[in-house]
Amino acid sequence: MIKRLAAWFKNLPAHMQVMVILIPLLLLAILLSLDRILEGITKGFLYFNR
């Protein structure tokens, strides 16, 4: 299974390899700072409710 996954990854174009690596890292960063993101969204909506 891992060998097939590695072969699939090696056959991808270079830009797709970067995307496959960066998308999970982006999702992890969002999950780790989710409270800060939600706080910013609520402050933004409170600004428009004035």
Side-chain angles (χ1 to χ4, degrees):
M1 171 97 178
I2 295 175
K3 287 183 181 180
R4 286 195 307 182
L5 196 61
W8 170 78
F9 184 77
K10 287 180 182 178
N11 288 334
L12 289 175
H15 65 279
M16 289 297 293
Q17 288 179 352
V18 172
M19 284 181 56
V20 167
I21 291 170
L22 288 182
I23 289 174
L25 288 176
L26 176 65
L27 293 175
L28 180 65
I30 289 172
L31 287 175
L32 289 177
S33 63
L34 189 60
D35 55 338
R36 295 175 68 190
I37 292 171
L38 292 176
E39 180 183 341
I41 291 172
T42 54
K43 283 184 180 180
F45 279 115
L46 288 175
Y47 175 78
F48 289 113
N49 285 338
R50 289 183 188 180

